[in-house]
Amino acid sequence: MPRMTLRKILIHPDPRLKKVCERVAEVDAEIRKLADDMLETMYDAPGVGLAGPQVGVMKRIFVIDCADKDAAPDPMILINPEITWESEELNTYEEGCLSIPEIYEPVTRPELVRMSYLDADGKKHEDEFDALYATAAQHELDHLDGVLFIDYLSKMKRAMITNKMKKLKKERARD
Ligand code: NI
């Protein structure tokens, strides 16, 4: 297996975080390496989800691991994911994002979703996601369509957060 590499996580605002990503045409060695790198980058951050565009790869792929801290890791790779069903019941979670560090805000989404996707072997799956898995999967799928969790907040709040991130990026560039 090739060695994993940490990828740089883009910070909002960045035009690449606002674009609709392309479907993965073929699940090949390059995609598998990308998925492994994304998992490594996510665990290193640390976070529970990471999507292609967050590392500058404009492809429909994301990784999540929502296992409890004390439980064994549960890495998942979702390629060309699509929602095939969502519950009418909603759930509100405090969401965060590796591209919007240290900001947490409540977002309301369907409590349960079913998603079809390809795994790292190109095998098709359809799984139901609940609890934190449902939130993370929907949050990451949004990334593939150029949508950030702050897009669900008020315009004023979003502008405030964006200004904070611009400042953060300037500070980091100075380091
Ligand atoms: Ni995110």
Side-chain angles (χ1 to χ4, degrees):
M1 199 167 117
R3 283 182 65 90
M4 288 182 258
T5 326
L6 291 182
R7 309 250 181 157
K8 192 172 175 260
I9 299 175
L10 301 180
I11 303 298
H12 165 75
D14 187 298
R16 286 167 287 182
L17 295 172
K18 299 305 296 171
K19 290 208 171 98
V20 175
C21 295
E22 279 176 23
R23 288 175 69 83
V24 172
E26 196 192 340
V27 181
D28 55 13
E30 190 188 326
I31 288 292
R32 277 189 283 277
K33 170 77 166 76
L34 170 67
D36 286 343
D37 286 355
M38 285 171 64
L39 280 169
E40 186 79 353
T41 304
M42 177 186 82
Y43 287 128
D44 179 73
V48 298
L50 186 69
Q54 292 183 276
V55 292
V57 178
M58 309 309 291
K59 290 187 173 151
R60 302 190 76 81
I61 176 172
F62 68 74
V63 296
I64 53 174
D65 186 338
C66 303
D68 284 336
K69 270 189 184 128
D70 307 326
D74 181 24
M76 291 186 75
I77 297 164
L78 290 88
I79 299 165
N80 296 339
E82 276 172 38
I83 288 184
T84 56
W85 174 82
E86 57 186 38
S87 65
E88 278 173 35
E89 296 78 23
L90 304 174
N91 212 346
T92 303
Y93 265 105
E94 291 261 312
E95 294 192 21
C97 182
L98 292 177
S99 292
I100 311 171
E102 283 159 50
I103 304 286
Y104 300 92
E105 293 289 343
V107 176
T108 300
R109 303 179 185 270
E111 184 183 15
L112 304 167
V113 290
R114 214 170 284 146
M115 235 180 242
S116 70
Y117 61 94
L118 303 176
D119 66 17
D121 296 316
K123 203 178 143 220
K124 193 166 180 173
H125 295 258
E126 189 172 357
D127 291 343
E128 194 165 301
F129 295 84
D130 66 0
L132 183 56
Y133 279 90
T135 295
Q138 292 175 83
H139 173 120
E140 298 311 326
L141 181 60
D142 270 354
H143 272 299
L144 307 184
D145 292 314
V147 176
L148 302 173
F149 83 93
I150 56 170
D151 294 331
Y152 295 96
L153 309 178
S154 73
K155 209 174 158 184
M156 207 173 85
K157 204 155 217 179
R158 193 162 59 241
M160 231 170 63
I161 293 169
T162 300
N163 279 335
K164 224 180 228 179
M165 291 302 114
K166 282 181 182 164
K167 236 173 103 184
L168 177 82
K169 276 166 71 157
K170 254 187 218 158
E171 280 165 16
R172 285 190 180 181
R174 265 205 299 269
D175 287 340

